[in-house]
Amino acid sequence: EDQVTQSPEALRLQEGESSSLNCSYTVSGLRGLFWYRQDPGKGPEFLFTLYSAGEEKEKERLKATLTKKESFLHITAPKPEDSATYLCAVQTITQGGSEKLVFGKGTKLTVNP
Amino acid sequence: GAGVSQSPSNKVTEKGKDVELRCDPISGHTALYWYRQSLGQGLEFLIYFQGNSAPDKSGLPSDRFSAERTGGSVSTLTIQRTQQEDSAVYLCASSPEGTTSGGYTFGSGTRLTVV
């Protein structure tokens, strides 16, 4: 069964204190790994897609990396506005033969000023 | 609007009643997904529509759940005889064609509370 596990569940950082979020996965055949950001009361907002081990993507203070078993979301010098829940998902195939995303439970990040 | 629109944003219903949740995807997006987000759980796939093809219903948790998509655009998720375990946020997402490198665009969801 395809599974996505994110750690830690929650992370508190001081403004400017860099850190990383982890996403480990087991999937029969990785078609893509997605990172989303979710703010309270909102739907997830797309950040990155990674397809193969060694691939990296960057956006402002965020950098996502991918290995054969896990992905990291590195946050450099975070600001309070980076506070959100970060979701990781893998693309897989449903029992009906369609594509779907399997999500982890997320990491809730709080950045204090 | 430019985004995925869902209504209502909040719904409180009594156990045993039927509810309908609506999703208006981004114009031109052929793929539409429904997900459910329960407290403390990850997003759970429910159903997938692609154009005029038959939907993939493999994620629906019981036969009390059904969905339709009219004219390849607006979709309605119906839950019959609601139970307390149906309480969750129901999220709709759309994309130009299946899952693309740009990911799905999600709506803000409908928070359903069954009392």
Side-chain angles (χ1 to χ4, degrees):
Chain A
E1 182 181 349
D2 300 325
Q3 279 192 321
V4 177
T5 303
Q6 292 188 246
S7 62
E9 291 184 8
L11 181 62
R12 285 187 174 272
L13 300 173
Q14 289 299 122
E15 185 172 3
E17 179 186 2
S18 301
S19 188
S20 296
L21 312 182
N22 177 263
C23 170
S24 62
Y25 61 90
T26 55
V27 62
S28 53
L30 182 67
R31 292 167 173 261
L33 185 140
F34 294 73
W35 281 98
Y36 283 85
R37 168 191 171 128
Q38 187 172 26
D39 293 297
K42 302 290 187 183
E45 176 187 348
F46 171 74
L47 293 173
F48 304 109
T49 307
L50 302 167
Y51 289 104
S52 56
E55 189 174 359
E56 297 183 353
K57 293 274 180 73
E58 283 191 68
K59 180 179 179 180
E60 296 181 354
R61 296 175 293 282
L62 300 177
K63 183 169 79 171
T65 62
L66 181 65
T67 72
K68 290 185 178 180
K69 293 184 178 181
E70 57 192 349
S71 176
F72 293 93
L73 185 65
H74 307 277
I75 304 176
T76 302
K79 298 181 178 181
E81 53 262 41
D82 295 322
S83 297
T85 296
Y86 290 85
L87 302 174
C88 173
V90 294
Q91 184 179 347
T92 184
I93 300 296
T94 72
Q95 291 180 358
S98 307
E99 292 180 337
K100 69 172 182 179
L101 295 183
V102 174
F103 283 84
K105 294 181 181 181
T107 293
K108 184 176 181 180
L109 174 66
T110 303
V111 181
N112 296 313
Chain B
V4 176
S5 179
Q6 292 189 246
S7 61
S9 55
N10 282 283
K11 177 71 176 180
V12 179
T13 189
E14 293 181 352
K15 178 181 174 181
K17 293 287 181 66
D18 298 352
V19 294
E20 285 190 353
L21 313 179
R22 176 188 168 102
C23 172
D24 200 342
I26 292 173
S27 178
H29 279 194
T30 58
L32 186 149
Y33 294 81
W34 283 97
Y35 280 80
R36 176 168 72 175
Q37 188 171 33
S38 303
L39 194 63
Q41 302 299 313
L43 276 74
E44 173 191 7
F45 166 78
L46 296 177
I47 189 169
Y48 166 60
F49 294 89
Q50 173 58 49
N52 294 319
S53 302
D56 182 338
K57 306 178 182 179
S58 59
L60 295 179
S62 78
D63 59 8
R64 296 186 295 104
F65 288 72
S66 63
E68 63 177 20
R69 188 178 185 190
T70 55
S73 181
V74 172
S75 177
T76 302
L77 177 68
T78 301
I79 309 174
Q80 296 179 310
R81 305 181 302 282
T82 51
Q83 303 295 312
Q84 288 187 331
E85 60 262 29
D86 299 334
S87 295
V89 176
Y90 290 81
L91 291 161
C92 175
S94 69
S95 71
E97 184 174 345
T99 306
T100 70
S101 60
Y104 310 158
T105 302
F106 281 86
S108 292
T110 294
R111 180 174 298 277
L112 175 66
T113 304
V114 182
V115 297

